Amino acid sequence: MLDADLAHEREYVAGLYARLEELREEKRRQLAQVRRSGAVGTMQNVSERDAFAALYEDRLAQLDAVDDRLVFGRLDLDSGEEQYIGRIGLTTEDLQRLMVDWRAPEAGHFYQATAFDRQGVRRRRHLILQGREVKAIEDDVLDASMLSDDESLQGEGALLAALNSKRTGRMSDIVSTIQSEQDRIIRSSISGALVVQGGPGTGKTAVALHRAAYLLYTHRDRLKSAGVLLVGPSSSFMKYIERVLPSLGETGVVMASVGRLMPGIHAVPEADPDVAAIKGRLDMAKIVANAVSNRQRTPAANRILEVDGRKLTLTPRQVRRARERARSTGKPHNEARVTFVKILLRELTEQLTDMIEADNIGNNADRSYLAEDVRTARDVRIALNLCWMPMTPEKLISELFSKPAILEFCTPLLSPAERELLRRPADAPWTEADVPLLDEAAELLGELDPAAGRGLAQQEHDRARDLANAKQTLENMQMAGVDPLMSAEELAEQNREQEARQTAAERATSDRTWAFGHIVVDEAQELSPMQWRLLVRRCPLKSFTIVGDIAQTSSVAGANSWQGALAPMFGERWQLEELTVNYRTPSQIAEAAVRMANAAGLVVSAPKAVREGRWSPIVDEVDAGQVVSRLVEVLPEELEALDGGLLAVIADGELLPAATSALCSAYGRRIGTGAGSYEQDIVVISPREAKGLEFDGVVVLEPSTMLNHEHGKVGDLYVAMTRATQRLRLIAAQPVPAGIVR
């Protein structure tokens, strides 16, 4: 019976892929036809052509993205219907349904139906594909009347099969294993902030990714233009999940680590946790505001300015009055500067005019040119810049930390020791902790004065030229008796040369002021208050999905409670859901990690593990200085046990480079480190780099150092131990932390 079922499913899936190819070919043909038509006809024709081209391109991109494992399930319903569930919806040419999109309401039964609440489902079948081929079938029989001698649940069940499969360095395809608890959270309301708390292996990341795709599908009108931002803890993590959302049929999500949220800035991790903690405090918002105010200065005494050989006087009173009027506009620093400069230029011009008229009584010559003389005078430009300097965020923050006098003036709430920690060279690289400060500065500074930059001035010149050309074109068309059906402004915008047609996601990536419709934050317990401030600015509606585990916090600037982290930004507009089942970690490893955390004084949730592993944690106690040599000695045993699985060596401090060097000598190119290394079968990483990742086997070096060094946190060791899906080994020269061994 199983062989016949497998053959049937293979035939049906082959038909789905054939239909997918037909649709791709149809869209390619339509797109080519539109492109061949060229820019002919009326302006309305051209606009319609571009709209159709965009439609076909988007649909083709979606069809290309879902090729791998297109379909993953089938529902056998009480009505006798067989309903296939996949990444997108498919129909025949005469609109007969072949497959239901997994986000459609009727697909909810695939995740929510149980033997106690069948929801009209008799059997849920999981189709396990490799590429385009059906490799196996897993049946969940919900209707007991279907069970017979020749028809029963096959195999160990789709969920456990997925969990026991070997890791590849990419997140496993788990759409078909989302359970009812997770599905309810995925389909929660989009309003407000939803916090998903869950211990290791509970599927927090799966929930985050699938909720993003579900919201894009369900609230398409709201999110298609605003988009969704998915924030992960590191570039390593983002690479790990980069194919998941496209494989679900969504290609418009912006994925970024916190260090990539300021356009043009590629931040590195903050090396000193104490510095990260200071920069992460909400006090830094006031410090950045102080730094901006420090650039709006009043001179201590009158300043003499020379304009065309005449001496003008700029008084502190004039500057103070102009400054207050500029500030009263409520505009950001650079934009308010325009008001400040206009006021003082007018007063200085009047002063120069009065001087000239006093020397030329009775001469009524036009003196409008004097305003330009004042504006371009070197002394005037220097004086006004010293009083109100136009600034970029990078220059403001760089000078704040590199110039002791500015730092001391702007940080009255910090101690001398804290100021010393913040000091650094002007050319130091930007760090992840700097990004919220740069964003804060950008918000307070605003755009540079167009008069201060030739680039912006050139853009204005180009726009004026394009508009003049468009007006001439419309006049020619009207003279020829053609109704253009659009304004000169619309024509200029349409004809303006663009490098490429950008998606909403591409535009959002390059625009700091972009307001997203929803933000998903993974490993959210690591975020500092200033990083939360940045994210809330990116989504004024405060529509968030926040997933994490307080017990895994390793950042000194991270959260100790969800209430403490979220209340300053969200008030009461957030709700907490908790995942209670550990799908990933074998019970022996999960229980050892919980015992260790509890013994170290950390209260952690203990999700119920759904499976017992083959191995209990192995602990090797060695002599001082023998940790790395023992690692090299036991690694062949670990690799043999995993039989081709992915192995991680997790170490901290000096052991990390030592282990990397020793293993590279022994295993060469099989060793990977850092971002982009997970195509190798052995990786050597820190516990913070391992956050959010999973491996078949894990070897933890000197676990006590993850608790006892200067900035050690229980969360580091807890994270390291719970990355394993099959096998865990710890090598220790120092005393093994309590609780790991019963």
Side-chain angles (χ1 to χ4, degrees):
M1 183 68 178
L2 181 60
D3 289 342
D5 278 1
L6 188 59
H8 169 75
E9 301 300 355
R10 284 174 173 168
E11 181 180 358
Y12 193 90
V13 169
L16 292 176
Y17 274 107
R19 179 57 180 156
L20 181 67
E21 289 296 340
E22 290 176 1
L23 291 173
R24 285 174 175 167
E25 183 57 34
E26 176 185 337
K27 296 307 170 190
R28 291 190 191 102
R29 185 170 57 252
Q30 291 172 331
L31 181 59
Q33 183 177 355
V34 168
R35 286 173 173 168
R36 281 197 302 268
S37 66
V40 296
T42 67
M43 295 304 170
Q44 183 173 352
N45 295 146
V46 174
S47 179
E48 290 175 352
R49 183 210 62 177
D50 291 345
F52 277 115
L55 178 66
Y56 297 147
E57 287 174 355
D58 290 344
R59 179 58 172 165
L60 190 57
Q62 184 188 49
L63 294 174
D64 288 338
V66 299
D67 187 88
D68 190 33
R69 298 184 295 279
L70 172 67
V71 56
F72 49 78
R74 190 186 90 183
L75 294 176
D76 294 347
L77 306 179
D78 287 341
S79 64
E81 180 187 359
E82 293 179 353
Q83 191 175 82
Y84 284 83
I85 311 297
R87 306 209 177 282
I88 59 172
L90 283 179
T91 63
T92 63
E93 289 186 4
D94 58 355
L95 301 183
Q96 297 297 310
R97 187 162 63 183
L98 298 173
M99 184 169 68
V100 177
D101 190 303
W102 74 276
R103 294 152 297 194
E106 58 264 47
H109 304 313
F110 187 82
Y111 310 110
Q112 297 168 333
T114 67
F116 299 99
D117 181 17
R118 293 195 297 109
Q119 300 183 20
V121 177
R122 305 191 70 200
R123 176 173 60 184
R124 173 173 48 229
R125 168 165 289 177
H126 303 268
L127 305 178
I128 302 172
L129 275 66
Q130 182 177 343
R132 292 187 169 199
E133 185 178 357
V134 180
K135 288 294 186 181
I137 299 170
E138 297 285 352
D139 283 344
D140 295 339
V141 178
L142 306 183
D143 182 357
S145 67
M146 290 187 68
L147 296 174
S148 64
D149 292 338
D150 60 351
E151 184 172 29
S152 62
L153 177 64
Q154 302 292 333
E156 59 180 331
L159 178 61
L160 295 184
L163 292 170
N164 288 326
S165 64
K166 292 182 176 61
R167 267 54 192 169
T168 64
R170 303 285 189 190
M171 190 174 194
S172 298
D173 176 22
I174 57 174
V175 176
S176 57
T177 63
I178 297 295
Q179 300 303 288
S180 179
E181 175 184 70
Q182 297 171 322
D183 185 70
R184 174 178 54 81
I185 296 172
I186 288 168
R187 296 168 190 267
S188 296
S189 169
I190 193 174
S191 300
L194 175 67
V195 180
V196 184
Q197 160 72 34
T202 53
K204 299 183 297 296
T205 299
V207 169
L209 297 174
H210 289 81
R211 179 163 168 77
Y214 173 77
L215 292 178
L216 277 164
Y217 181 87
T218 306
H219 302 278
R220 190 165 299 276
D221 289 343
R222 167 175 166 177
L223 298 178
K224 66 181 178 182
S225 57
V228 171
L229 172 64
L230 173 63
V231 179
S234 65
S235 56
S236 302
F237 176 79
M238 301 314 293
K239 183 168 184 177
Y240 180 65
I241 64 173
E242 66 185 358
R243 279 190 51 79
V244 174
L245 278 172
S247 73
L248 298 180
E250 296 297 349
T251 57
V253 176
V254 176
M255 296 191 294
S257 60
V258 175
R260 297 293 185 269
L261 289 179
M262 185 75 179
I265 300 295
H266 298 284
V268 300
E270 186 69 65
D272 189 335
D274 285 333
V275 174
I278 297 171
K279 291 180 178 178
R281 300 194 315 226
L282 282 178
D283 292 345
M284 289 303 300
K286 177 61 176 175
I287 290 171
V288 174
N290 289 343
V292 174
S293 296
N294 183 53
R295 297 301 177 154
Q296 302 168 5
R297 301 167 179 167
T298 301
N302 291 350
R303 186 180 179 94
I304 304 303
L305 312 177
E306 183 174 324
V307 179
D308 288 343
R310 296 180 183 271
K311 306 294 186 180
L312 304 183
T313 302
L314 181 66
T315 68
R317 182 173 179 274
Q318 286 176 307
V319 174
R320 189 162 41 250
R321 187 172 61 244
R323 184 184 66 182
E324 296 311 313
R325 288 182 59 184
R327 287 178 173 178
S328 69
T329 65
K331 295 179 179 179
H333 173 90
N334 289 326
E335 297 170 30
R337 181 181 182 272
V338 176
T339 299
F340 174 81
V341 169
K342 282 182 178 179
I343 291 171
L344 291 183
L345 287 179
R346 184 176 66 248
E347 292 186 1
L348 291 172
T349 300
E350 290 173 354
Q351 190 178 141
L352 178 61
T353 302
D354 290 343
M355 286 183 179
I356 292 175
E357 289 182 347
D359 293 340
N360 297 274
I361 297 175
N363 186 345
N364 296 322
D366 179 21
R367 295 189 176 89
S368 58
Y369 65 90
L370 294 179
E372 182 66 13
D373 289 348
V374 171
R375 190 186 69 82
T376 58
R378 182 175 182 275
D379 281 6
V380 172
R381 287 188 286 110
I382 292 174
L384 296 187
N385 281 338
L386 287 174
C387 292
W388 195 304
M389 176 72 76
M391 297 290 291
T392 65
E394 293 84 353
K395 184 175 178 62
L396 183 83
I397 301 301
S398 176
E399 293 189 355
L400 172 65
F401 293 145
S402 63
K403 295 186 175 182
I406 295 178
L407 184 60
E408 182 175 359
F409 175 84
C410 297
T411 57
L413 299 178
L414 299 185
S415 68
E418 289 174 324
R419 290 192 196 105
E420 188 59 33
L421 282 171
L422 291 178
R423 285 188 59 186
R424 68 179 190 191
D427 59 352
W430 296 113
T431 70
E432 292 171 354
D434 291 326
V435 170
L437 310 185
L438 291 167
D439 190 75
E440 189 76 22
E443 193 73 10
L444 296 175
L445 292 172
E447 297 296 330
L448 281 174
D449 179 357
R454 285 182 295 177
L456 291 174
Q458 183 62 46
Q459 292 177 24
E460 292 299 325
H461 172 76
D462 292 343
R463 290 190 180 96
R465 179 202 60 201
D466 292 343
L467 183 59
N469 291 340
K471 289 179 178 178
Q472 184 61 53
T473 299
L474 294 184
E475 289 177 5
N476 294 341
M477 293 174 66
Q478 290 169 341
M479 290 177 63
V482 177
D483 185 357
L485 298 177
M486 62 170 54
S487 68
E489 289 77 9
E490 291 171 331
L491 178 59
E493 180 65 28
Q494 188 176 89
N495 290 341
R496 189 167 293 124
E497 183 178 357
Q498 298 180 353
E499 293 182 3
R501 188 179 65 86
Q502 290 186 312
T503 65
E506 290 168 335
R507 294 195 304 273
T509 302
S510 60
D511 183 357
R512 188 199 66 82
T513 63
W514 190 274
F516 289 93
H518 189 79
I519 295 181
V520 180
V521 188
D522 201 6
E523 299 294 345
Q525 74 278 354
E526 301 299 329
L527 296 187
S528 71
M530 283 300 293
Q531 289 170 333
W532 278 116
R533 185 176 172 91
L534 179 155
L535 290 178
V536 170
R537 187 177 291 128
R538 294 291 195 276
C539 185
L541 293 174
K542 296 186 179 181
S543 176
F544 278 71
T545 299
I546 299 165
V547 297
D549 180 13
I550 292 296
Q552 296 186 54
T553 301
S554 60
S555 170
V556 178
N560 294 318
S561 72
W562 290 121
Q563 174 68 26
L566 302 179
M569 300 298 163
F570 294 92
E572 299 299 320
R573 289 195 60 201
W574 63 279
Q575 60 176 323
L576 179 68
E577 296 277 1
E578 187 160 3
L579 297 171
T580 60
V581 180
N582 184 338
Y583 300 104
R584 177 181 69 208
T585 314
S587 59
Q588 301 98 312
I589 296 175
E591 290 167 5
V594 170
R595 290 196 306 268
M596 178 279 301
N598 289 340
L602 181 66
V603 178
V604 301
S605 57
K608 180 178 176 57
V610 299
R611 64 193 176 102
E612 184 175 344
R614 294 172 56 189
W615 301 282
S616 295
I618 302 168
V619 178
D620 292 339
E621 297 187 67
V622 301
D623 295 333
Q626 300 300 309
V627 171
V628 174
S629 59
R630 179 60 176 166
L631 169 66
V632 175
E633 180 183 336
V634 302
L635 210 63
E637 177 186 341
E638 295 299 313
L639 293 172
E640 182 180 359
L642 297 177
D643 189 25
L646 184 62
L647 176 70
V649 176
I650 302 180
D652 216 350
E654 296 179 355
L655 280 174
L656 186 61
T660 302
S661 176
L663 293 181
C664 284
S665 297
Y667 292 92
R669 294 184 179 180
R670 293 177 65 180
I671 304 300
T673 58
S677 66
Y678 302 108
E679 293 178 1
Q680 290 86 6
D681 62 348
I682 307 170
V683 295
V684 188
I685 54 177
S686 72
R688 285 164 292 285
E689 290 176 310
K691 192 176 295 292
L693 309 182
E694 59 185 38
F695 308 93
D696 298 287
V698 170
V699 179
V700 179
L701 303 186
E702 204 61 89
S704 64
T705 64
M706 298 179 190
L707 298 179
N708 300 329
H709 65 70
E710 183 180 2
H711 297 289
K713 278 204 169 188
V714 180
D716 281 348
L717 181 55
Y718 187 66
V719 166
M721 292 179 65
T722 54
R723 299 308 94 195
T725 67
Q726 305 293 333
R727 185 175 168 95
L728 172 66
R729 189 176 203 127
L730 303 101
I731 304 176
Q734 300 176 23
V736 178
I740 293 178
V741 179
R742 280 187 183 274

